[in-house]
Structures are given as structure tokens and as C-alpha cells.
């Protein structure tokens, strides 16, 4: 009987068979009995789970082929099987799928909101390996079709900062920001060790087994359950991650923090102007525990953390109006710790491709009458009072300049 069950699982065409139906769950031991997937394989458990639930199959010869790239047809079939979305109905017409083994399931995946024929006007081309960018867009769209809040999350992250190297170095289209953000924010997909997203790369069947296991869980949760996604949404809509990362902290200088963003402010030595675009705060105390999805973008093992301060990274443009403007002109002219800061000394500026203050004094970095966009780093003091309901304190920078008022509200 056990042998008969194995024959049932492995029979059929490569990966999914021709019928397109979801197989009934089978014992895990049977599901993972592939010649090319050992118990020590890094994705063994995920492959086991996906096969036992009928999401993926073997090739009919006793192999799973974990290193083969997944194709459009294959991933569409997987999504059709794992998704609990309602099918909006109406068969999706792809000219090149008539009679193809995946025709029914590709149509079902389209009906569940993962993609549409309009996305593939030149044909679906089912045998083409699926790119990671397509995968991200399909899954994010599927979540949006299921839950309107995910649709809003896509809207909220259209102008966010995406913490991957392609954001500054190129290789990530602005139209793709929301889809990559939903993947990173929910943890459905992550970047490579070099912090790139690799949207043009393909994904192996073993990797897909892991990703689909995550999707199965993610589709049952609201987007608000994911701190990383909340952070990316806040940055996209307000320019800062403060409320997500340090919800008890509020900044006031007559107005809230958001009213400072995007405003031209003169340096107090009248040598130039500064305009702030983003504030990225870190609540943690080490490079391994930054408390922010942006941690890897701004800190490394050499970044100093302070027990009594929160790190903040400031995205701003500097417009010099006097000759001889340099780093000293900039730092001496700052009116507060949140108007600007110092060089981002971590290796991440080079790795991610963003500008920061130079080490040579900045005499050739700044040009009179020309805006220079850069990131700097500063810090704000942590305030804690176990008996305090609201604690406010005036803050001064090192040179005595007024820096505003920070208020900590505790429940």
C-alpha cells in the first residue's frame, strides 16, 4: 500500500502533473522520499510540507529537482493551490496556453488576483523561468486581492525607501517599490547576502517550497501584524519610521516632526540651507539588533551605539550659499541634532550607494548654489521614567544650540 501511494505521488508530468488537481495529503515520509533531497538538505522540511499538501510534486522518476528554476506555469499552479482567495470567475485567456497542462490552474491563479492577461499581452509563455520580481508582484497582488489593507500597503509604499542595494545603485524600477516592500516587510522574500534583491534572478524549486510555506501563513494575517511592513509604509507616507520603531517618542519644536520634513531651514551661520526628506531611527543597541528594517542599510559591526541615545539617520539636501563651504560649515551651522549630523562611517554607504559627508573636509564635495543630497547620522537621548506619565525636557546640541523638546509618553 505504501508503495502504491508513492507511485500515485510521483506519477504524471514534471512537478505538477497534467490534471492540475491538488493531491490529498500523504504521510510526510512518503512526500520527502526523493533521490535528490536528503534529510540534511537545507529545504528538506519545507519540501516535505509542500509535497505532502500537494503544492509541489516530483518529476515522475523519483526526483524533486530542487535546484531547477521554477517556471511561470509552475508557480501559477502553486499559487492556485495554496491560495484561499475567492476566484473572481471568468476564464483568463492566454493565447499560448490552449491545451497546456497548466491552463486551468493559470486561469485560476489569474481569477484569484495574482496577475491578469493584461500583464502578458505577448502571451503567458509558461515555460519561461519566473523572475524574482514577477514572483514578488504576483504574491503582493494576491494578498491585495484578498485583503484591501494590503492594497493600501501597496499604495503607501510607492514612495518609500526600499532597503536593498538596487534602490540607490539602480536595478529597481520605482513601479516595483511597493511589491518588493511587501515582500521584505512581511518576510515572504528577503535580499541576498550582499543586500541586493536580485529582481531579475530566478528562484529554485527548493526556494519556492520555503517561500510558499511562508505565503500560506502570511495570507491569514493582516498587514498590520508585520512591523517591517508598517515601518516601510510609515516612511512612504510620512518620511520617518519614528512611530513604528519608537512609538513612545514624539518630537516637538512648535509642531510635530512631520511638519519639519521638506522645509528649507537656514544654517545658523548663514552659510547655506538644509532641507530634510527622511528620518530613519534605530531603537536597538547593536548592529544585530537595530530595531529597524533599515538596520542593514545604515549600520555595520563598526557602528557605535549608545545606551542613553537613539541613533537617527537623516536624509537631507544641503545648499551652500557662500564660497568655501565645507563639512565644518555644515556641522557648525546646524541648529539641532535633528537638522543634520555627521558622516555615516559604516561601510554601508558604499555598499548601498548613498552619499554621506566626505573624509577630506568637503571642500570639493559641496558647490555653491548646488544642492547636494546626502545622509548623515545623529542621535537623540533616551528618556525613561517608570512613574512618569509624560516627561518633557529641553534639548541642546553640544555647542549649546537649541534643539527642541522631546516628550516621552508612557501608558
Amino acid at each position: 500500500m505504501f508503495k502504491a501511494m508513492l507511485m500515485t505521488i510521483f506519477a504524471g508530468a514534471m512537478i505538477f502533473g497534467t490534471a492540475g488537481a491538488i493531491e490529498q495529503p500523504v504521510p510526510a515520509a512518503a512526500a520527502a522520499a526523493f533521490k535528490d533531497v536528503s534529510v540534511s538538505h537545507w529545504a528538506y522540511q519545507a519540501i516535505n510540507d509542500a509535497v505532502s499538501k500537494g503544492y509541489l510534486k516530483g518529476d515522475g522518476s523519483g526526483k524533486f529537482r530542487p535546484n531547477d528554476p521554477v517556471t511561470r506555469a509552475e508557480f501559477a499552479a502553486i499559487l492556485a493551490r495554496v491560495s484561499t482567495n475567492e476566484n473572481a470567475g471568468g476564464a483568463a485567456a492566454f493565447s499560448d496556453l490552449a491545451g497546456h497542462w497548466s491552463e486551468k490552474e493559470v486561469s485560476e491563479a489569474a481569477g484569484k488576483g495574482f496577475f491578469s492577461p493584461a500583464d502578458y499581452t505577448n502571451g503567458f509563455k509558461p515555460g519561461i523561468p519566473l523572475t524574482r520580481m514577477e514572483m514578488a508582484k504576483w504574491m503582493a497582488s494576491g494578498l491585495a486581492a484578498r485583503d484591501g489593507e494590503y492594497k493600501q500597503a501597496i499604495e503607501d509604499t510607492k514612495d518609500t525607501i526600499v532597503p536593498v542595494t538596487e534602490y540607490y545603485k539602480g536595478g529597481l524600477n520605482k513601479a516595483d517599490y511597493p511589491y518588493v516592500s511587501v515582500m521584505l516587510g512581511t518576510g515572504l522574500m528577503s535580499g541576498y547576502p550582499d543586500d541586493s534583491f536580485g529582481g531579475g534572478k530566478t528562484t529554485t524549486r527548493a526556494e519556492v517550497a520555503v517561500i510558499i510555506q511562508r505565503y500560506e501563513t502570511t495570507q491569514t494575517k493582516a498587514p498590520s501584524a508585520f512591523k517591517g511592513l508598517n515601518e516601510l509604509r510609515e516612511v512612504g507616507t510620512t518620511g520617518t519610521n519614528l512611530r513604528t520603531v519608537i512609538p513612545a517618542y514624539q518630537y516637538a519644536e512648535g509642531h510635530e516632526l512631520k511638519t519639519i520634513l521638506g522645509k528649507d531651514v537656514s544654517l545658523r551661520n548663514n552659510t547655506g540651507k538644509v532641507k530634510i526628506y527622511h528620518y530613519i531611527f534605530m531603537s536597538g543597541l547593536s548592529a544585530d539588533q537595530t530595531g529597524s528594517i533599515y538596520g542593514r542599510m545604515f549600520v555595520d559591526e563598526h557602528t557605535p551605539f549608545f545606551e542613553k541615545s537613539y541613533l537617527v539617520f537623516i536624509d537631507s539636501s544641503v545648499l551652500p550659499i557662500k564660497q568655501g563651504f565645507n563639512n565644518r560649515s555644515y556641522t557648525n551651522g546646524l541648529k539641532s541634532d535633528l537638522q543634520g549630523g555627521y558622516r555615516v562611517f559604516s561601510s554601508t554607504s558604499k555598499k548601498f550607494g548613498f552619499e554621506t559627508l566626505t573624509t577630506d573636509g568637503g571642500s570639493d564635495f559641496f558647490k555653491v548654489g548646488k544642492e547636494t543630497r546626502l545622509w548623515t547620522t545623529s542621535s537623540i537621548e533616551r528618556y525613561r521614567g517608570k512613574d512618569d506619565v509624560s516627561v518633557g525636557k529641553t534639548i541642546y546640541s553640544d555647542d549649546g544650540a537649541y534643539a527642541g523638546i522631546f516628550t516621552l509618553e508612557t501608558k
Side-chain angles (χ1 to χ4, degrees), residues 87 89-95 97 103-104 106-111 115-118:
N87 192 329
F94 293 97
S95 60
L97 283 182
E103 182 179 10
K104 180 181 177 180
V106 170
S107 180
E108 183 180 353
F115 49 80
S116 74

Side-chain angles (χ1 to χ4, degrees), residues 72-101:
R72 285 177 179 171
E74 291 164 0
F75 196 63
I78 293 171
L79 290 175
R81 294 166 182 172
V82 73
S83 174
T84 55
N85 288 12
E86 291 186 9
N87 192 329
F94 293 97
S95 60
D96 56 349
L97 283 182
H100 193 270
W101 69 264

Side-chain angles (χ1 to χ4, degrees), residues 17 29 59 67 99 105 138 174 297 345:
D59 67 356
N67 298 321
E105 288 180 302
W138 285 16
K174 193 174 188 301
M297 191 170 185
F345 282 99

